[in-house]
Amino acid sequence: MRGVRHKSKSAWLIAGVAAAALLLPIIARNEYFIHLMVMALVYGIVAMGLNILTGYTGKLSLGHAGFFGLGAYVSALLSIKLGVPALVSIVIAGVVLFFMGVLLGLPTLRLEGHYLSIVTIGFNEVIILVLINMRSLTRGPGGLRGIPPISIGGFELVSDVSQYYFAVILVAILLWLKSKLVKSHVGLALRAVMDGEVASEACGVNVAYYRVFAFGISAMYAGIGGGVLAHFLNYISPYSFQSPESFALLGMLVVGGIGTLAGPIIGSIIMTLLPEYLRAFADFRLIINAVLTIVLLIKVPGGIVGLFKSLAGRIGRRSSDGLDTAGR
Amino acid sequence: MSLSSLLVQVLIQGLAVGSVYALIALGYVMIFKAVGVFNFAQGDFMMSGCFIGLWLIVYLRLPIALGLILAVLLTSLLGILVEAVVFHPLLESPSRSYLISTVAVGIILREIGRLIFGADPLSFPNYLGDKVIKLGSVGIPVQYIWISLAAVAVVSLLLWFFKKTKMGKAMRAVSEDRETARLMGIDTNLNMKLTYALSSAMGAIAGVLIAPVFFAFTEMGRSFGQKAFSSFVLGGTDSIPGAVVGGLLIGVVENLAGVFISTKYKDAISFIILIVVLICKPRGLFGGRGERRAA
Amino acid sequence: MGLILQADKISKRFGGLLALDGVELGIQEGSIHSIVGPNGSGKTTLFNVLTRFSEPTSGKVSFAGKNIAGIKPSAVVSMGMARTFQNLLIFKRMTVLENVLVGRTPRLDAKLINAFITPKWVTDEKKSNIERCEQILDFCGLLEHKDKMPTNLPYADQKRLEIARALATEPRLLLLDEPAAGTPTGEVGQLLELILKIKKSGITVMLIEHKMDMVMSISDRISVLNFGKKIAEGTPQEIRTDPMVIEAYLGRKWLDAEN
């Protein structure tokens, strides 16, 4: 009975959020704001991927901007050099990045501890070095121009509003896939691995295998996000994917709530919009981000989603207490 | 110049730079033994020490020797402050939180450095001298010799401190087993602060040693930090001699590769070494064979 | 019935210490085979080597006729060898039922990709899997606690949960490392009953246990370890009267208890 009510409550919540998301461009008739939301959603996709790793295996990637950038370049180059349609090259970028993640995860994720974090920092640096130095392919520090936009049935997604709706739908799909993962047996096994490695192995869970898979999926999300970014902006440069961006992605997780479904999206929206309204402090952007991250880690470790959950829990408990006494 | 004299020169440069990596890596070792976590701000403590020295000597015109000593002391204080404000409250949180906070601290230090001193490299007073000693056809810049000697002195002092002094022994006990040490009446909180003071001091010493050669720039913490990290893993993550040998090896290999392979990707060498070590010898050069597995 | 597990001259060296010294072992299928010995005699190390959590310095382990050298512990579980741990390793942040569900991992047909692609057979499997786990919890007398967090249960029940989780992997051989530790004397009988029930269902049991009366009453065979060496093996009756065992392990305490 309570389960049913809980389910319908979350269905209402989803419907409400969906309606708000779809109506947003009509309510806020501000092109620039919509553009910011598009960026927030694209970063949200990457943050969602990072969350699959950090939230569900406890491991840290400090190089997700590298995956993001690699996805952007793979997708852009496929479209520019080989004429692959944007949608297809985005999917290919996701698949390529999955294998890239597996490749990088294999040597590091079988070790206990946080070796992955340093390997991903190095990976991020190397990717930037390669993007800058392989001029013949990537056109070096100047970046790639003239990336074709996404086209659906002849309709090209160039306006902010059309890109916004595409991003909303994509985020919804990726969120749905992520929730399937979390609820599946694989999600259960990942939680087990985070809880205890030896115990998991004793349950027949191949710890390294599950972790590497999660890391692959995590990199895949980043790759898809990168592909979408490339075809939205039609221009990318190596400098958009440097390691401070990797940290910014982690900041989004911390703010939104590590290990929660909606946290990364909420975090990315806040962390994208906030600096815009604090533009007077543009020079302090990175510091504000870092300080905010530390303060949240110490004071609100569950992030915004955790905060709401505990608030809702408190209210819910009070009302159900009331019901219980009434029933008696 | 003949190949052999070039080789000798590169070797000496590699050893000098490597001993700087080793000093930074010692900071990683101390924190890893005490908390079981990597301190990603370690490189930025090195940068902080370097810039505090620059500020004291160039802007406040303090005598060089006094400036250098104060720089190291102030960086230790900075380490204690950061531990108290940021790291201490996270000691019981999941390790990922602690780790994220060390990255955040690194960014904050780096950004403060950039806001005060700008992003361009600044020249550091060359107190090491720029003489070159000629040995046949080989020219050895005297600063490299000073750097190496200073590093040897610091490491010896550190080893003596941990082996012989009461405080050093207590710190070792805490890093072996925090709970037991606490039950034995050792003030673990004070010890943690001391550990951070020492590890950031190591960074600061490294910073003021290398700055006359490489300039002071706010990104130095990142590049030196990454290479020192590779040294730390190469040395097995928990031993002082390991970190020293790791640092020297990375310094030499990287400089050789810079000359004989490609300067463009010189900065990627330490990363490649790190990956190879993690694949083949995850316990470092001195650890036993790969028992540090997930299960 | 034949031997389900064979250990051939197993040695394990930690630094200068020889924790296991040429141990030979053969476990009869369908039996309860106990390993006893004083603290530090190498019992848990032996379990770790048998289940591949620890690499033997030398020697060979065969399970169901196959040499298991070089494979991962999780693969050993898939082959049908499950274990519990002396120091209780359950998932503290998962419910009782979820703990047991994790144990089903090697028996599911759903692969990694089925996290995203879920045809009907996957959802059906998920449902029947939950039912199967509830049966196992019932078998172990834990069904009423299935939605609780294990840390809210008494220690003895947590130990039992670890057994349930191991049973969920459908083992042919189950290794129990001190299952009675922390169990109040009054409840040891229930645990004994559970182990006999497990044996009855066709699963071979290996047991490390300090409670000697329990070992003597339940075991078909007992091996005695001392300083990493197997010093005796036999039926409980034979062990009880073996002079070497009495001297090395049971000592005066045992004789006193007998009187």
mmCIF file with all atom_site columns, all heavy atoms in Angstrom, chain A residues 180 183 185 188 191-192 195 201 203 206 210, chain C residues 74 92-93 98 101 105-106 116 118 126 165:
data_model
loop_
_atom_site.group_PDB
_atom_site.id
_atom_site.type_symbol
_atom_site.label_atom_id
_atom_site.label_alt_id
_atom_site.label_comp_id
_atom_site.label_asym_id
_atom_site.label_entity_id
_atom_site.label_seq_id
_atom_site.pdbx_PDB_ins_code
_atom_site.Cartn_x
_atom_site.Cartn_y
_atom_site.Cartn_z
_atom_site.occupancy
_atom_site.B_iso_or_equiv
_atom_site.pdbx_formal_charge
_atom_site.auth_seq_id
_atom_site.auth_comp_id
_atom_site.auth_asym_id
_atom_site.auth_atom_id
_atom_site.pdbx_PDB_model_num
ATOM 1   N N   . LYS A 1 180 ? 17.686 2.052   -15.230 1.00 0.00 ? 180 LYS A N   1
ATOM 2   C CA  . LYS A 1 180 ? 17.601 0.609   -15.488 1.00 0.00 ? 180 LYS A CA  1
ATOM 3   C C   . LYS A 1 180 ? 18.854 -0.091  -14.970 1.00 0.00 ? 180 LYS A C   1
ATOM 4   O O   . LYS A 1 180 ? 18.782 -1.142  -14.342 1.00 0.00 ? 180 LYS A O   1
ATOM 5   C CB  . LYS A 1 180 ? 17.488 0.344   -17.002 1.00 0.00 ? 180 LYS A CB  1
ATOM 6   C CG  . LYS A 1 180 ? 16.100 0.537   -17.555 1.00 0.00 ? 180 LYS A CG  1
ATOM 7   C CD  . LYS A 1 180 ? 16.038 0.050   -18.985 1.00 0.00 ? 180 LYS A CD  1
ATOM 8   C CE  . LYS A 1 180 ? 15.491 -1.353  -19.014 1.00 0.00 ? 180 LYS A CE  1
ATOM 9   N NZ  . LYS A 1 180 ? 14.897 -1.719  -20.298 1.00 0.00 ? 180 LYS A NZ  1
ATOM 10  N N   . LYS A 1 183 ? 18.827 -0.308  -11.186 1.00 0.00 ? 183 LYS A N   1
ATOM 11  C CA  . LYS A 1 183 ? 17.863 -1.262  -10.627 1.00 0.00 ? 183 LYS A CA  1
ATOM 12  C C   . LYS A 1 183 ? 18.158 -2.703  -11.030 1.00 0.00 ? 183 LYS A C   1
ATOM 13  O O   . LYS A 1 183 ? 17.589 -3.628  -10.458 1.00 0.00 ? 183 LYS A O   1
ATOM 14  C CB  . LYS A 1 183 ? 16.453 -0.897  -11.110 1.00 0.00 ? 183 LYS A CB  1
ATOM 15  C CG  . LYS A 1 183 ? 15.875 0.313   -10.381 1.00 0.00 ? 183 LYS A CG  1
ATOM 16  C CD  . LYS A 1 183 ? 14.456 0.583   -10.860 1.00 0.00 ? 183 LYS A CD  1
ATOM 17  C CE  . LYS A 1 183 ? 14.059 2.018   -10.633 1.00 0.00 ? 183 LYS A CE  1
ATOM 18  N NZ  . LYS A 1 183 ? 13.182 2.509   -11.721 1.00 0.00 ? 183 LYS A NZ  1
ATOM 19  N N   . HIS A 1 185 ? 20.423 -6.257  -11.880 1.00 0.00 ? 185 HIS A N   1
ATOM 20  C CA  . HIS A 1 185 ? 21.328 -7.049  -11.051 1.00 0.00 ? 185 HIS A CA  1
ATOM 21  C C   . HIS A 1 185 ? 22.748 -6.488  -11.111 1.00 0.00 ? 185 HIS A C   1
ATOM 22  O O   . HIS A 1 185 ? 23.488 -6.547  -10.134 1.00 0.00 ? 185 HIS A O   1
ATOM 23  C CB  . HIS A 1 185 ? 21.324 -8.514  -11.495 1.00 0.00 ? 185 HIS A CB  1
ATOM 24  C CG  . HIS A 1 185 ? 22.037 -9.403  -10.518 1.00 0.00 ? 185 HIS A CG  1
ATOM 25  N ND1 . HIS A 1 185 ? 21.429 -9.909  -9.405  1.00 0.00 ? 185 HIS A ND1 1
ATOM 26  C CD2 . HIS A 1 185 ? 23.329 -9.822  -10.462 1.00 0.00 ? 185 HIS A CD2 1
ATOM 27  C CE1 . HIS A 1 185 ? 22.306 -10.615 -8.708  1.00 0.00 ? 185 HIS A CE1 1
ATOM 28  N NE2 . HIS A 1 185 ? 23.468 -10.579 -9.330  1.00 0.00 ? 185 HIS A NE2 1
ATOM 29  N N   . LEU A 1 188 ? 23.008 -3.872  -8.583  1.00 0.00 ? 188 LEU A N   1
ATOM 30  C CA  . LEU A 1 188 ? 23.112 -4.489  -7.254  1.00 0.00 ? 188 LEU A CA  1
ATOM 31  C C   . LEU A 1 188 ? 24.541 -4.965  -7.005  1.00 0.00 ? 188 LEU A C   1
ATOM 32  O O   . LEU A 1 188 ? 25.124 -4.725  -5.949  1.00 0.00 ? 188 LEU A O   1
ATOM 33  C CB  . LEU A 1 188 ? 22.143 -5.669  -7.174  1.00 0.00 ? 188 LEU A CB  1
ATOM 34  C CG  . LEU A 1 188 ? 22.010 -6.342  -5.815  1.00 0.00 ? 188 LEU A CG  1
ATOM 35  C CD1 . LEU A 1 188 ? 21.090 -5.529  -4.927  1.00 0.00 ? 188 LEU A CD1 1
ATOM 36  C CD2 . LEU A 1 188 ? 21.492 -7.761  -5.961  1.00 0.00 ? 188 LEU A CD2 1
ATOM 37  N N   . ARG A 1 191 ? 26.858 -2.105  -6.304  1.00 0.00 ? 191 ARG A N   1
ATOM 38  C CA  . ARG A 1 191 ? 26.725 -1.639  -4.914  1.00 0.00 ? 191 ARG A CA  1
ATOM 39  C C   . ARG A 1 191 ? 27.458 -2.577  -3.971  1.00 0.00 ? 191 ARG A C   1
ATOM 40  O O   . ARG A 1 191 ? 28.097 -2.154  -3.011  1.00 0.00 ? 191 ARG A O   1
ATOM 41  C CB  . ARG A 1 191 ? 25.250 -1.571  -4.526  1.00 0.00 ? 191 ARG A CB  1
ATOM 42  C CG  . ARG A 1 191 ? 24.602 -0.231  -4.859  1.00 0.00 ? 191 ARG A CG  1
ATOM 43  C CD  . ARG A 1 191 ? 23.101 -0.302  -4.695  1.00 0.00 ? 191 ARG A CD  1
ATOM 44  N NE  . ARG A 1 191 ? 22.694 -0.605  -3.336  1.00 0.00 ? 191 ARG A NE  1
ATOM 45  C CZ  . ARG A 1 191 ? 21.538 -1.182  -3.011  1.00 0.00 ? 191 ARG A CZ  1
ATOM 46  N NH1 . ARG A 1 191 ? 20.678 -1.515  -3.958  1.00 0.00 ? 191 ARG A NH1 1
ATOM 47  N NH2 . ARG A 1 191 ? 21.244 -1.424  -1.759  1.00 0.00 ? 191 ARG A NH2 1
ATOM 48  N N   . ALA A 1 192 ? 27.349 -3.876  -4.266  1.00 0.00 ? 192 ALA A N   1
ATOM 49  C CA  . ALA A 1 192 ? 28.036 -4.860  -3.433  1.00 0.00 ? 192 ALA A CA  1
ATOM 50  C C   . ALA A 1 192 ? 29.543 -4.632  -3.484  1.00 0.00 ? 192 ALA A C   1
ATOM 51  O O   . ALA A 1 192 ? 30.220 -4.644  -2.463  1.00 0.00 ? 192 ALA A O   1
ATOM 52  C CB  . ALA A 1 192 ? 27.698 -6.272  -3.893  1.00 0.00 ? 192 ALA A CB  1
ATOM 53  N N   . ASP A 1 195 ? 30.548 -1.900  -1.398  1.00 0.00 ? 195 ASP A N   1
ATOM 54  C CA  . ASP A 1 195 ? 30.374 -2.219  0.020   1.00 0.00 ? 195 ASP A CA  1
ATOM 55  C C   . ASP A 1 195 ? 31.522 -3.086  0.534   1.00 0.00 ? 195 ASP A C   1
ATOM 56  O O   . ASP A 1 195 ? 32.023 -2.890  1.635   1.00 0.00 ? 195 ASP A O   1
ATOM 57  C CB  . ASP A 1 195 ? 29.030 -2.941  0.194   1.00 0.00 ? 195 ASP A CB  1
ATOM 58  C CG  . ASP A 1 195 ? 28.462 -2.764  1.588   1.00 0.00 ? 195 ASP A CG  1
ATOM 59  O OD1 . ASP A 1 195 ? 29.236 -2.822  2.545   1.00 0.00 ? 195 ASP A OD1 1
ATOM 60  O OD2 . ASP A 1 195 ? 27.242 -2.587  1.710   1.00 0.00 ? 195 ASP A OD2 1
ATOM 61  N N   . GLU A 1 201 ? 33.600 -10.791 -4.239  1.00 0.00 ? 201 GLU A N   1
ATOM 62  C CA  . GLU A 1 201 ? 34.293 -11.850 -4.963  1.00 0.00 ? 201 GLU A CA  1
ATOM 63  C C   . GLU A 1 201 ? 33.823 -13.217 -4.438  1.00 0.00 ? 201 GLU A C   1
ATOM 64  O O   . GLU A 1 201 ? 33.630 -14.152 -5.206  1.00 0.00 ? 201 GLU A O   1
ATOM 65  C CB  . GLU A 1 201 ? 35.800 -11.660 -4.780  1.00 0.00 ? 201 GLU A CB  1
ATOM 66  C CG  . GLU A 1 201 ? 36.691 -12.378 -5.748  1.00 0.00 ? 201 GLU A CG  1
ATOM 67  C CD  . GLU A 1 201 ? 36.735 -11.792 -7.168  1.00 0.00 ? 201 GLU A CD  1
ATOM 68  O OE1 . GLU A 1 201 ? 36.606 -10.569 -7.357  1.00 0.00 ? 201 GLU A OE1 1
ATOM 69  O OE2 . GLU A 1 201 ? 36.899 -12.596 -8.097  1.00 0.00 ? 201 GLU A OE2 1
ATOM 70  N N   . CYS A 1 203 ? 30.953 -13.894 -3.494  1.00 0.00 ? 203 CYS A N   1
ATOM 71  C CA  . CYS A 1 203 ? 29.604 -14.141 -4.003  1.00 0.00 ? 203 CYS A CA  1
ATOM 72  C C   . CYS A 1 203 ? 29.646 -14.458 -5.491  1.00 0.00 ? 203 CYS A C   1
ATOM 73  O O   . CYS A 1 203 ? 28.610 -14.481 -6.158  1.00 0.00 ? 203 CYS A O   1
ATOM 74  C CB  . CYS A 1 203 ? 28.718 -12.920 -3.793  1.00 0.00 ? 203 CYS A CB  1
ATOM 75  S SG  . CYS A 1 203 ? 28.262 -12.672 -2.098  1.00 0.00 ? 203 CYS A SG  1
ATOM 76  N N   . ASN A 1 206 ? 32.771 -10.973 -10.156 1.00 0.00 ? 206 ASN A N   1
ATOM 77  C CA  . ASN A 1 206 ? 34.111 -10.656 -10.618 1.00 0.00 ? 206 ASN A CA  1
ATOM 78  C C   . ASN A 1 206 ? 34.311 -9.145  -10.507 1.00 0.00 ? 206 ASN A C   1
ATOM 79  O O   . ASN A 1 206 ? 33.877 -8.370  -11.356 1.00 0.00 ? 206 ASN A O   1
ATOM 80  C CB  . ASN A 1 206 ? 34.286 -11.133 -12.057 1.00 0.00 ? 206 ASN A CB  1
ATOM 81  C CG  . ASN A 1 206 ? 35.703 -10.963 -12.545 1.00 0.00 ? 206 ASN A CG  1
ATOM 82  O OD1 . ASN A 1 206 ? 36.453 -10.135 -12.035 1.00 0.00 ? 206 ASN A OD1 1
ATOM 83  N ND2 . ASN A 1 206 ? 36.075 -11.737 -13.546 1.00 0.00 ? 206 ASN A ND2 1
ATOM 84  N N   . TYR A 1 210 ? 33.128 -6.043  -13.254 1.00 0.00 ? 210 TYR A N   1
ATOM 85  C CA  . TYR A 1 210 ? 31.996 -5.143  -13.062 1.00 0.00 ? 210 TYR A CA  1
ATOM 86  C C   . TYR A 1 210 ? 32.446 -3.685  -13.038 1.00 0.00 ? 210 TYR A C   1
ATOM 87  O O   . TYR A 1 210 ? 31.800 -2.807  -13.596 1.00 0.00 ? 210 TYR A O   1
ATOM 88  C CB  . TYR A 1 210 ? 31.255 -5.489  -11.763 1.00 0.00 ? 210 TYR A CB  1
ATOM 89  C CG  . TYR A 1 210 ? 30.256 -6.596  -11.965 1.00 0.00 ? 210 TYR A CG  1
ATOM 90  C CD1 . TYR A 1 210 ? 30.646 -7.922  -11.913 1.00 0.00 ? 210 TYR A CD1 1
ATOM 91  C CD2 . TYR A 1 210 ? 28.925 -6.309  -12.243 1.00 0.00 ? 210 TYR A CD2 1
ATOM 92  C CE1 . TYR A 1 210 ? 29.745 -8.942  -12.125 1.00 0.00 ? 210 TYR A CE1 1
ATOM 93  C CE2 . TYR A 1 210 ? 28.009 -7.317  -12.453 1.00 0.00 ? 210 TYR A CE2 1
ATOM 94  C CZ  . TYR A 1 210 ? 28.431 -8.642  -12.394 1.00 0.00 ? 210 TYR A CZ  1
ATOM 95  O OH  . TYR A 1 210 ? 27.525 -9.640  -12.616 1.00 0.00 ? 210 TYR A OH  1
ATOM 96  N N   . SER C 2 74  ? 36.163 -15.445 -7.757  1.00 0.00 ? 74  SER C N   1
ATOM 97  C CA  . SER C 2 74  ? 34.767 -15.440 -8.221  1.00 0.00 ? 74  SER C CA  1
ATOM 98  C C   . SER C 2 74  ? 34.501 -16.601 -9.169  1.00 0.00 ? 74  SER C C   1
ATOM 99  O O   . SER C 2 74  ? 33.406 -17.158 -9.194  1.00 0.00 ? 74  SER C O   1
ATOM 100 C CB  . SER C 2 74  ? 34.435 -14.106 -8.883  1.00 0.00 ? 74  SER C CB  1
ATOM 101 O OG  . SER C 2 74  ? 35.385 -13.777 -9.866  1.00 0.00 ? 74  SER C OG  1
ATOM 102 N N   . LYS C 2 92  ? 27.045 -4.333  4.516   1.00 0.00 ? 92  LYS C N   1
ATOM 103 C CA  . LYS C 2 92  ? 26.393 -3.614  5.615   1.00 0.00 ? 92  LYS C CA  1
ATOM 104 C C   . LYS C 2 92  ? 25.381 -2.599  5.128   1.00 0.00 ? 92  LYS C C   1
ATOM 105 O O   . LYS C 2 92  ? 24.489 -2.210  5.850   1.00 0.00 ? 92  LYS C O   1
ATOM 106 C CB  . LYS C 2 92  ? 27.450 -2.912  6.466   1.00 0.00 ? 92  LYS C CB  1
ATOM 107 C CG  . LYS C 2 92  ? 28.382 -3.881  7.173   1.00 0.00 ? 92  LYS C CG  1
ATOM 108 C CD  . LYS C 2 92  ? 29.186 -3.156  8.235   1.00 0.00 ? 92  LYS C CD  1
ATOM 109 C CE  . LYS C 2 92  ? 30.107 -4.121  8.963   1.00 0.00 ? 92  LYS C CE  1
ATOM 110 N NZ  . LYS C 2 92  ? 31.212 -4.618  8.086   1.00 0.00 ? 92  LYS C NZ  1
ATOM 111 N N   . ARG C 2 93  ? 25.553 -2.133  3.873   1.00 0.00 ? 93  ARG C N   1
ATOM 112 C CA  . ARG C 2 93  ? 24.635 -1.103  3.389   1.00 0.00 ? 93  ARG C CA  1
ATOM 113 C C   . ARG C 2 93  ? 23.557 -1.671  2.474   1.00 0.00 ? 93  ARG C C   1
ATOM 114 O O   . ARG C 2 93  ? 22.968 -0.964  1.670   1.00 0.00 ? 93  ARG C O   1
ATOM 115 C CB  . ARG C 2 93  ? 25.435 -0.001  2.670   1.00 0.00 ? 93  ARG C CB  1
ATOM 116 C CG  . ARG C 2 93  ? 26.156 0.908   3.668   1.00 0.00 ? 93  ARG C CG  1
ATOM 117 C CD  . ARG C 2 93  ? 27.119 1.833   2.985   1.00 0.00 ? 93  ARG C CD  1
ATOM 118 N NE  . ARG C 2 93  ? 28.295 1.111   2.531   1.00 0.00 ? 93  ARG C NE  1
ATOM 119 C CZ  . ARG C 2 93  ? 29.349 1.685   1.937   1.00 0.00 ? 93  ARG C CZ  1
ATOM 120 N NH1 . ARG C 2 93  ? 29.350 2.965   1.719   1.00 0.00 ? 93  ARG C NH1 1
ATOM 121 N NH2 . ARG C 2 93  ? 30.378 0.967   1.568   1.00 0.00 ? 93  ARG C NH2 1
ATOM 122 N N   . GLU C 2 98  ? 18.824 -8.320  -0.208  1.00 0.00 ? 98  GLU C N   1
ATOM 123 C CA  . GLU C 2 98  ? 19.799 -7.889  -1.226  1.00 0.00 ? 98  GLU C CA  1
ATOM 124 C C   . GLU C 2 98  ? 21.126 -8.617  -1.059  1.00 0.00 ? 98  GLU C C   1
ATOM 125 O O   . GLU C 2 98  ? 21.768 -8.994  -2.041  1.00 0.00 ? 98  GLU C O   1
ATOM 126 C CB  . GLU C 2 98  ? 20.013 -6.370  -1.152  1.00 0.00 ? 98  GLU C CB  1
ATOM 127 C CG  . GLU C 2 98  ? 18.875 -5.584  -1.762  1.00 0.00 ? 98  GLU C CG  1
ATOM 128 C CD  . GLU C 2 98  ? 19.013 -4.077  -1.538  1.00 0.00 ? 98  GLU C CD  1
ATOM 129 O OE1 . GLU C 2 98  ? 19.651 -3.672  -0.547  1.00 0.00 ? 98  GLU C OE1 1
ATOM 130 O OE2 . GLU C 2 98  ? 18.477 -3.313  -2.341  1.00 0.00 ? 98  GLU C OE2 1
ATOM 131 N N   . LEU C 2 101 ? 20.686 -11.834 -2.674  1.00 0.00 ? 101 LEU C N   1
ATOM 132 C CA  . LEU C 2 101 ? 20.571 -11.663 -4.132  1.00 0.00 ? 101 LEU C CA  1
ATOM 133 C C   . LEU C 2 101 ? 21.946 -11.551 -4.795  1.00 0.00 ? 101 LEU C C   1
ATOM 134 O O   . LEU C 2 101 ? 22.158 -12.085 -5.886  1.00 0.00 ? 101 LEU C O   1
ATOM 135 C CB  . LEU C 2 101 ? 19.744 -10.413 -4.449  1.00 0.00 ? 101 LEU C CB  1
ATOM 136 C CG  . LEU C 2 101 ? 18.221 -10.581 -4.402  1.00 0.00 ? 101 LEU C CG  1
ATOM 137 C CD1 . LEU C 2 101 ? 17.536 -9.225  -4.425  1.00 0.00 ? 101 LEU C CD1 1
ATOM 138 C CD2 . LEU C 2 101 ? 17.736 -11.430 -5.563  1.00 0.00 ? 101 LEU C CD2 1
ATOM 139 N N   . THR C 2 105 ? 24.627 -14.036 -8.248  1.00 0.00 ? 105 THR C N   1
ATOM 140 C CA  . THR C 2 105 ? 25.310 -13.542 -9.458  1.00 0.00 ? 105 THR C CA  1
ATOM 141 C C   . THR C 2 105 ? 25.811 -14.652 -10.393 1.00 0.00 ? 105 THR C C   1
ATOM 142 O O   . THR C 2 105 ? 25.520 -14.620 -11.587 1.00 0.00 ? 105 THR C O   1
ATOM 143 C CB  . THR C 2 105 ? 26.471 -12.601 -9.068  1.00 0.00 ? 105 THR C CB  1
ATOM 144 O OG1 . THR C 2 105 ? 25.960 -11.598 -8.201  1.00 0.00 ? 105 THR C OG1 1
ATOM 145 C CG2 . THR C 2 105 ? 27.112 -11.971 -10.288 1.00 0.00 ? 105 THR C CG2 1
ATOM 146 N N   . PRO C 2 106 ? 26.524 -15.666 -9.878  1.00 0.00 ? 106 PRO C N   1
ATOM 147 C CA  . PRO C 2 106 ? 27.054 -16.641 -10.829 1.00 0.00 ? 106 PRO C CA  1
ATOM 148 C C   . PRO C 2 106 ? 25.990 -17.551 -11.447 1.00 0.00 ? 106 PRO C C   1
ATOM 149 O O   . PRO C 2 106 ? 26.283 -18.262 -12.392 1.00 0.00 ? 106 PRO C O   1
ATOM 150 C CB  . PRO C 2 106 ? 28.044 -17.453 -9.986  1.00 0.00 ? 106 PRO C CB  1
ATOM 151 C CG  . PRO C 2 106 ? 27.664 -17.228 -8.574  1.00 0.00 ? 106 PRO C CG  1
ATOM 152 C CD  . PRO C 2 106 ? 27.007 -15.898 -8.508  1.00 0.00 ? 106 PRO C CD  1
ATOM 153 N N   . PHE C 2 116 ? 20.707 -3.004  -19.539 1.00 0.00 ? 116 PHE C N   1
ATOM 154 C CA  . PHE C 2 116 ? 20.016 -2.027  -20.392 1.00 0.00 ? 116 PHE C CA  1
ATOM 155 C C   . PHE C 2 116 ? 18.942 -2.668  -21.254 1.00 0.00 ? 116 PHE C C   1
ATOM 156 O O   . PHE C 2 116 ? 17.897 -2.088  -21.496 1.00 0.00 ? 116 PHE C O   1
ATOM 157 C CB  . PHE C 2 116 ? 21.026 -1.326  -21.303 1.00 0.00 ? 116 PHE C CB  1
ATOM 158 C CG  . PHE C 2 116 ? 22.077 -0.575  -20.546 1.00 0.00 ? 116 PHE C CG  1
ATOM 159 C CD1 . PHE C 2 116 ? 23.386 -1.002  -20.540 1.00 0.00 ? 116 PHE C CD1 1
ATOM 160 C CD2 . PHE C 2 116 ? 21.736 0.561   -19.818 1.00 0.00 ? 116 PHE C CD2 1
ATOM 161 C CE1 . PHE C 2 116 ? 24.349 -0.306  -19.828 1.00 0.00 ? 116 PHE C CE1 1
ATOM 162 C CE2 . PHE C 2 116 ? 22.689 1.264   -19.108 1.00 0.00 ? 116 PHE C CE2 1
ATOM 163 C CZ  . PHE C 2 116 ? 24.006 0.827   -19.119 1.00 0.00 ? 116 PHE C CZ  1
ATOM 164 N N   . THR C 2 118 ? 16.247 -5.418  -21.606 1.00 0.00 ? 118 THR C N   1
ATOM 165 C CA  . THR C 2 118 ? 15.524 -6.316  -20.717 1.00 0.00 ? 118 THR C CA  1
ATOM 166 C C   . THR C 2 118 ? 14.331 -6.963  -21.403 1.00 0.00 ? 118 THR C C   1
ATOM 167 O O   . THR C 2 118 ? 13.197 -6.518  -21.243 1.00 0.00 ? 118 THR C O   1
ATOM 168 C CB  . THR C 2 118 ? 15.038 -5.554  -19.468 1.00 0.00 ? 118 THR C CB  1
ATOM 169 O OG1 . THR C 2 118 ? 14.427 -4.336  -19.913 1.00 0.00 ? 118 THR C OG1 1
ATOM 170 C CG2 . THR C 2 118 ? 16.158 -5.230  -18.538 1.00 0.00 ? 118 THR C CG2 1
ATOM 171 N N   . LYS C 2 126 ? 14.446 -12.265 -12.952 1.00 0.00 ? 126 LYS C N   1
ATOM 172 C CA  . LYS C 2 126 ? 14.613 -11.417 -11.775 1.00 0.00 ? 126 LYS C CA  1
ATOM 173 C C   . LYS C 2 126 ? 13.580 -11.793 -10.707 1.00 0.00 ? 126 LYS C C   1
ATOM 174 O O   . LYS C 2 126 ? 13.903 -11.922 -9.525  1.00 0.00 ? 126 LYS C O   1
ATOM 175 C CB  . LYS C 2 126 ? 14.465 -9.945  -12.188 1.00 0.00 ? 126 LYS C CB  1
ATOM 176 C CG  . LYS C 2 126 ? 15.046 -8.995  -11.160 1.00 0.00 ? 126 LYS C CG  1
ATOM 177 C CD  . LYS C 2 126 ? 15.009 -7.566  -11.661 1.00 0.00 ? 126 LYS C CD  1
ATOM 178 C CE  . LYS C 2 126 ? 15.430 -6.622  -10.539 1.00 0.00 ? 126 LYS C CE  1
ATOM 179 N NZ  . LYS C 2 126 ? 15.373 -5.222  -10.909 1.00 0.00 ? 126 LYS C NZ  1
ATOM 180 N N   . ARG C 2 165 ? 23.820 -16.382 2.069   1.00 0.00 ? 165 ARG C N   1
ATOM 181 C CA  . ARG C 2 165 ? 24.375 -15.762 0.863   1.00 0.00 ? 165 ARG C CA  1
ATOM 182 C C   . ARG C 2 165 ? 25.267 -16.757 0.122   1.00 0.00 ? 165 ARG C C   1
ATOM 183 O O   . ARG C 2 165 ? 25.237 -16.842 -1.106  1.00 0.00 ? 165 ARG C O   1
ATOM 184 C CB  . ARG C 2 165 ? 25.190 -14.534 1.267   1.00 0.00 ? 165 ARG C CB  1
ATOM 185 C CG  . ARG C 2 165 ? 25.507 -13.610 0.145   1.00 0.00 ? 165 ARG C CG  1
ATOM 186 C CD  . ARG C 2 165 ? 26.338 -12.448 0.630   1.00 0.00 ? 165 ARG C CD  1
ATOM 187 N NE  . ARG C 2 165 ? 27.628 -12.909 1.118   1.00 0.00 ? 165 ARG C NE  1
ATOM 188 C CZ  . ARG C 2 165 ? 28.522 -12.124 1.708   1.00 0.00 ? 165 ARG C CZ  1
ATOM 189 N NH1 . ARG C 2 165 ? 28.260 -10.851 1.905   1.00 0.00 ? 165 ARG C NH1 1
ATOM 190 N NH2 . ARG C 2 165 ? 29.672 -12.604 2.123   1.00 0.00 ? 165 ARG C NH2 1
#
